[in-house]
Structures are given as structure tokens and as C-alpha cells.
Amino acid sequence: MTDALARLRASLRKNGWWRTLTLIPRNILFHLTDFDRKHGTNTGMQAEDDAGLPQEHEGYEGAPPRLFPRIIRSLEISADRYTFIDLGSGKGKALLLAAHHPFRRIIGVEYNPRLDAIAAENGRIYRHPERRVHTIETVCDDAGAFELPPDDLLIYLFNPFKGAIMERVLANLERSLQAKPRDVLIVYQNPTQRRLLDQASFLERIDYREYRTKRLRKMPIGRVAVYRNRH
Ligand SMILES: C[S@@+](CC[C@H](N)C(=O)[O-])C[C@H]1O[C@@H](n2cnc3c(N)ncnc32)[C@H](O)[C@@H]1O
């Protein structure tokens, strides 16, 4: 109950009344699965998660476990070619879900040291028969300053920050690609700063779609934009 109230308060602060009302069915659906009780992890949203974060950061919310695999499947990629990086990885829920796919490496970058420590612990304790990647790397850093590894990358963004940080993240990525040309895919979920990626001349948008529940009156559960770098 405390978690539900914390989520409601965070959503009101972040999205206002109207959007919060429209998000309630989606949240009921996500939390019906009760990921943490099932796996012994700690990925739920708590009141203290966003304490002390600078203004331009968005708050913490874990990746939706039903939607995430649909997004990854839609890319039709060979995961073993890519290093998966979650910029703004929070408590590591997307990292855990990514570990079901045979990525070369899985790395989470999180600004908040408390959330980063929880993500590392979640990575150690998460047991799932479909887990394919054992090691989940977590780094406590600003996403705009993080030195990207020289591999082909799948960068996951779940609405982690506002425009100023996104601009730094894009500049950092462009510099990294100039130094070492390679393939990069960006999956941007709830893409509030989509305009900045649409305008980046080194990127092209290859998909944009709204996901809906498969049943339950096909309710909207998230929008996702996908980009790749131009060569
Ligand atoms: C919506 S949560 C997403 C959590 C995670 N990606 C997931 O899907 O489970 C966004 C996260 O981005 C983090 N964040 C915000 N600004 C950041 C920055 N400049 N560098 C790194 N992390 C940041 C927040 O602390 C928060 O944990």
C-alpha cells in the first residue's frame, strides 16, 4: 500500500492529474504480475527513490516486465552482437529482463548511488530459468559523462531525463561514434524528448509505435521510438 501511494504521489508530481488517471489501468496491469514477490528482488518504486535528484532528472520507475520482451522481440536482432546499456538504470529491472537475451554484456548506468547499489544486488540475486547472461555490470555515473564501450550497442532509455541531459547524452554518443564507428540502436520508451533524437543528424528513426495490452480492451501501455545511427 505504501508503495502504491508513493507511486501515485510520484506520478501526480511528474504527470499531473489527467495523465495519472489515464495511467492507472496500465499500472494495475503491470503490478498484478508482482515481479519482486516472485523473484525476491527489490525493483518497486518507493517514496525515497527520487530524493535529492537534480530537476532535470525524471524519477524512478522500473521497466514493465510484460512490455520489455515485446520491445526487444520487435527489433529482430541477434542479441549476441550487442552490448546492452541502460542509461538511467534505476534498480536494474530492465537489466534483469535484458539478461534473458544473450547480449555480449549488460551494463546499467545510474546517477543515484542508492538505486545503483540496489541494482547490483538485484543482479546478484535474480534467478530465472530464462536468464542467459550471468554478469550484470552496474556503474554509478551521470549518463551524459559515461564512456561508452567500443562495441555495437543497444542503448535503452526509459524516460530517464529531460532535455539538458539528453543533449549531453547525444553529444557523448556522437563523439564516441566518431572515434569508433559501429552500429548503435537506441530504444526510447515513453520518449518525451523524442524531438532531440529526431533532430540529431547522426541518427535515423526506424520505428515508432504505441503498444497495447493483448487482451483487456487493448489498453495503451507505452510508446516506444527506435533509432539507429547513420553510416
Ligand atoms: C524511469 S527510471 C528507469 C529505470 C530503469 N531504466 C528501468 O527501466 O528499470 C529512470 C532512472 O534514470 C535515472 N537518471 C536520471 N538522470 C540520470 C542521469 N543523468 N544519469 C544516470 N541516471 C539518471 C533516475 O535516477 C532513474 O533511476
Side-chain angles (χ1 to χ4, degrees):
M1 185 51 117
T2 327
D3 276 7
L5 281 176
R7 278 201 296 277
L8 181 65
R9 265 200 302 271
S11 180
L12 286 171
R13 208 173 48 239
K14 194 158 113 188
N15 305 307
W17 270 104
W18 177 245
R19 178 133 177 81
T20 297
L21 280 177
T22 64
L23 289 172
I24 284 173
R26 187 196 81 162
N27 278 305
I28 290 174
L29 193 77
F30 286 167
H31 296 286
L32 273 181
T33 49
D34 208 347
F35 185 91
D36 287 337
R37 197 170 321 152
K38 209 156 145 191
H39 302 293
T41 48
N42 169 12
T43 63
M45 200 193 275
Q46 286 151 351
E48 62 272 28
D49 289 343
D50 301 338
L53 279 185
Q55 271 289 306
E56 65 271 26
H57 292 208
E58 294 290 1
Y60 172 72
E61 180 185 353
R66 286 176 189 235
L67 179 53
F68 186 88
R70 288 173 64 185
I71 297 171
I72 299 295
R73 267 200 309 276
S74 78
L75 302 174
E76 297 181 351
I77 55 166
S78 294
D80 55 4
R81 254 192 64 199
Y82 293 88
T83 288
F84 178 94
I85 302 194
D86 184 2
L87 293 179
S89 46
K91 298 183 184 177
K93 195 164 183 187
L95 305 175
L96 304 180
L97 297 167
H100 294 200
H101 304 267
F103 288 110
R104 286 163 63 97
R105 290 171 73 189
I106 294 182
I107 307 174
V109 181
E110 170 57 46
Y111 184 86
N112 180 333
R114 190 180 143 266
L115 302 189
D116 172 62
I118 294 173
E121 179 63 9
N122 282 332
R124 278 190 288 274
I125 62 182
Y126 183 63
R127 301 263 178 281
H128 193 288
E130 284 168 31
R131 181 166 178 172
R132 308 278 296 277
V133 181
H134 180 69
T135 306
I136 288 177
E137 301 166 56
T138 57
V139 181
C140 190
D141 200 354
D142 172 17
F146 175 68
E147 189 170 333
L148 295 158
D151 312 330
D152 289 342
L153 303 176
L154 170 49
I155 297 177
Y156 176 69
L157 304 166
F158 180 16
N159 189 22
F161 23 71
K162 301 196 173 92
I165 301 178
M166 186 63 89
E167 281 172 2
R168 285 196 290 115
V169 165
L170 292 174
N172 189 33
L173 174 60
E174 190 173 16
R175 263 195 310 275
S176 173
L177 282 168
Q178 281 160 358
K180 169 94 179 26
R182 59 208 192 275
D183 287 339
V184 173
L185 285 169
I186 303 176
V187 169
Y188 187 10
Q189 187 175 340
N190 293 6
T192 59
Q193 307 301 321
R194 200 176 88 211
R195 190 179 49 83
L196 292 175
L197 282 79
D198 287 342
Q199 287 170 355
S201 57
F202 71 103
L203 295 177
E204 66 172 320
R205 175 149 51 90
I206 55 172
D207 195 20
Y208 178 69
R209 65 178 85 176
E210 180 171 65
Y211 285 84
R212 291 175 174 267
T213 54
K214 289 187 174 154
R215 279 166 290 174
L216 289 175
R217 292 166 174 261
K218 301 203 175 304
M219 285 184 299
I221 47 172
R223 287 167 296 126
V224 177
V226 181
Y227 297 82
R228 75 173 163 220
N229 59 315
R230 297 179 198 275
H231 287 280

